[in-house]
């Protein structure tokens, strides 16, 4: 009889108690599971006579509620540590964190530089690291066999070729040429990338490093535009109040050329080791694009003028983070890299 069964199971449920999660789970499966007792009883209930249904219906519902209430109240009191003790797992222990990677300091600085120029409407352009003589030197107004080429110690890869010797690019200025050859003015781009020079590796020199090149070509571009753009860049990068000064210099591809110094970011101009007690540190080379360069790239130098600049990312990072030894940037020592976790992200 259904009534008898219910009476028997009700007694069983009332008598049941546990604080062990696995025993409670057995209880749940036995009574409340999809193939459990309650499911069976409800199946049987379908077959009873209508009179019986009337009286049994209520009993049946109460029985179901009793089983559910028992399960809920025991569940609240089984706190999980019991399972832990059984399985050798302590759920009260804090979880193990996992390491998220950190950005490389050079990547952080490159990202920041790009961000500033993008706000001024510059686009990002890239070019190949293996370059021909034309793009790395000749188009940039380095005369053949001229000592100016010795300014940069080149890793040559192959002699000859349609556009001259093949080499690892010594600067990102080559990307200027590629950009101007491929398009029409106006140009407003920054060009980040890796460059190579044949130098012995030390704390102060490396055989590869990173640069960001800038190029702005349009009608009526003047030296004042160059100064204002770079002034804005420095205020954004190192904070308002950072001073700039321009010293006349020489680069084959710009005329006039200058080097730009900023007031020392470490000592704020008072004099320290970083600025060799001068209060100033050099951060980039710049100038008005030499008309010969424009013509070499098929641009009418009577109509268009432009400015260009180039900076070393390691140098900028050095001034931001006071990283004194260039070798640290490429050794990938995790203890070094981890320090830049939160900076500038
Ligand atoms: N290419 C130069 C170097 O590697 C840096 C440079 C100087 C780039 C002046 C320029 C510039 O665009 O106008 O030393």
């Amino acid at each position: 009889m259904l009534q008898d069964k219910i009476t028997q199971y009700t007694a069983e449920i009332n008598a049941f108690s546990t604080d062990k999660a696995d025993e409670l789970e057995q209880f749940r499966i036995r009574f409340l599971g999809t193939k459990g007792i309650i499911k069976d009883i409800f199946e049987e209930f379908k077959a009873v006579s209508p009179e019986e249904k009337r009286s049994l219906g209520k009993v049946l519902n109460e029985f179901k509620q009793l089983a559910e209430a028992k399960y809920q109240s025991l569940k609240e009191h089984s706190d999980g540590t019991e399972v832990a003790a059984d399985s050798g797992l302590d759920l009260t222990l804090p979880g193990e964190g996992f390491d998220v990677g950190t950005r490389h300091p050079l990547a952080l600085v490159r990202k920041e530089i790009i961000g500033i120029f993008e706000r001024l409407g510059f686009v990002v352009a890239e070019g190949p690291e293996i370059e021909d003589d034309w793009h790395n030197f000749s188009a940039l107004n380095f005369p053949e066999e001229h000592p100016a080429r010795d300014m940069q110690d080149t890793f040559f890869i192959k002699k000859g070729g349609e556009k001259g010797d093949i080499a690892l690019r010594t600067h990102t200025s080559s990307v200027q040429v590629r950009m101007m050859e491929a398009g029409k003015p106006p140009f407003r781009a920054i060009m980040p990338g890796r460059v190579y020079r044949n130098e012995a590796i030390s704390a102060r020199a490396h055989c590869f490093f990173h640069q960001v090149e800038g190029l702005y070509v349009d009608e009526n571009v003047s030296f004042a535009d160059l100064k204002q753009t770079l002034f804005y860049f420095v205020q954004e990068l190192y904070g308002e109040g950072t001073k700039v000064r321009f010293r006349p210099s020489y680069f084959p591809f710009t005329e006039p050329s200058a080097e730009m110094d900023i007031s020392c970011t470490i000592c704020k101009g008072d004099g320290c080791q970083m600025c060799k007690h001068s209060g100033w540190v050099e951060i980039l080379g710049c100038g008005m694009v030499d008309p010969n360069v424009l013509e070499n790239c098929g641009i009418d130098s009577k109509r268009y003028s432009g400015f260009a600049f180039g900076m070393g990312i390691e140098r900028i990072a050095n001034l931001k983070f006071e990283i004194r030894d260039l070798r640290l940037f490429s050794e990938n020592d995790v203890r070094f890299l981890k320090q830049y976790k939160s900076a500038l992200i």
Side-chain angles (χ1 to χ4, degrees):
M1 276 293 292
L2 205 48
Q3 179 64 63
D4 295 344
K5 271 192 191 171
I6 294 173
T7 314
Q8 185 198 328
Y9 286 135
T10 302
E12 191 184 322
I13 291 174
N14 283 331
F16 181 75
S17 178
T18 183
D19 57 0
K20 295 205 166 44
D22 56 349
E23 283 178 13
L24 182 59
E25 181 62 4
Q26 290 305 320
F27 173 87
R28 187 191 66 77
I29 294 168
R30 180 165 147 75
F31 285 98
L32 301 161
T34 44
K35 291 182 183 139
I37 288 167
I38 289 174
K39 193 80 191 283
D40 282 349
I41 289 180
F42 271 81
E43 280 302 316
E44 277 183 50
F45 178 69
K46 284 182 191 164
V48 300
S49 67
E51 304 87 77
E52 256 188 308
K53 262 195 183 137
R54 218 168 296 131
S55 62
L56 260 181
K58 192 161 167 264
V59 177
L60 207 59
N61 275 324
E62 278 168 5
F63 173 66
K64 189 181 172 202
Q65 282 162 13
L66 174 76
E68 280 169 351
K70 184 78 174 190
Y71 174 70
Q72 283 307 329
S73 81
L74 289 176
K75 196 176 165 198
E76 273 161 37
H77 294 106
S78 114
D79 60 4
T81 50
E82 281 298 318
V83 197
D86 286 344
S87 60
L89 191 76
D90 186 351
L91 297 179
T92 62
L93 284 177
E96 265 176 47
F98 57 91
D99 266 349
V100 284
T102 57
R103 280 186 202 269
H104 193 282
L106 292 179
L108 289 171
V109 171
R110 181 184 55 202
K111 191 164 173 264
E112 201 183 4
I113 296 171
I114 290 175
I116 296 170
F117 283 104
E118 276 181 341
R119 292 203 286 282
L120 289 174
F122 282 69
V123 297
V124 178
E126 284 180 20
E129 293 182 12
I130 296 173
E131 213 20 306
D132 53 46
D133 181 275
W134 170 255
H135 291 96
N136 197 76
F137 293 121
S138 297
L140 288 164
N141 206 32
F142 283 80
E144 288 292 333
E145 309 299 336
H146 190 278
R149 291 188 188 224
D150 296 339
M151 280 168 74
Q152 302 174 343
D153 300 299
T154 312
F155 280 120
F156 287 101
I157 293 178
K158 213 168 79 190
K159 274 249 161 262
E162 206 184 310
K163 299 246 172 186
D165 299 342
I166 306 296
L168 293 177
R169 70 178 175 197
T170 59
H171 55 183
T172 42
S173 303
S174 54
V175 189
Q176 280 188 31
V177 178
R178 291 198 170 266
M179 183 164 206
M180 289 194 281
E181 280 179 341
K184 284 199 177 82
F187 300 105
R188 204 175 349 166
I190 47 163
M191 298 150 261
R194 181 175 279 187
V195 301
Y196 301 83
R197 298 203 189 159
N198 191 357
E199 299 215 31
I201 297 170
S202 71
R204 316 202 52 180
H206 210 291
C207 60
F208 67 79
F209 54 97
H210 301 81
Q211 291 187 329
V212 175
E213 187 81 12
L215 177 72
Y216 193 153
V217 177
D218 203 348
E219 290 177 9
N220 301 316
V221 176
S222 72
F223 202 88
D225 297 323
L226 162 67
K227 285 173 84 172
Q228 185 54 38
T229 303
L230 294 179
F231 179 75
Y232 170 81
F233 165 65
V234 167
Q235 305 306 300
E236 289 292 295
L237 189 66
Y238 290 113
E240 275 183 33
T242 312
K243 295 196 198 95
V244 301
R245 74 176 184 189
F246 291 82
R247 286 177 290 101
S249 184
Y250 171 75
F251 300 101
F253 34 91
T254 43
E255 183 58 36
S257 304
E259 273 163 326
M260 188 176 85
D261 297 341
I262 60 169
S263 49
C264 182
T265 53
I266 310 294
C267 65
K268 306 278 173 260
D270 294 342
C272 70
Q273 235 189 334
M274 179 72 82
C275 60
K276 301 199 189 76
H277 299 280
S278 69
W280 295 95
V281 283
E282 184 203 319
I283 64 159
L284 54 81
C286 58
M288 300 307 291
V289 181
D290 193 299
N292 288 342
V293 176
L294 294 175
E295 295 293 339
N296 285 340
C297 300
I299 289 162
D300 182 356
S301 62
K302 302 238 165 31
R303 181 165 168 206
Y304 293 102
S305 56
F307 65 76
F309 54 88
M311 68 189 101
I313 302 183
E314 278 81 351
R315 176 100 185 113
I316 306 284
N318 188 355
L319 287 169
K320 254 207 132 76
F321 302 127
E322 291 185 63
I323 300 163
R324 299 291 165 99
D325 191 330
L326 274 178
R327 290 168 293 195
L328 287 166
F329 287 120
S330 48
E331 279 167 353
N332 283 340
D333 184 330
V334 194
R335 293 165 302 177
F336 167 74
L337 296 174
K338 272 196 163 164
Q339 297 175 70
Y340 303 94
K341 206 166 224 147
S342 59
L344 298 178
I345 291 189

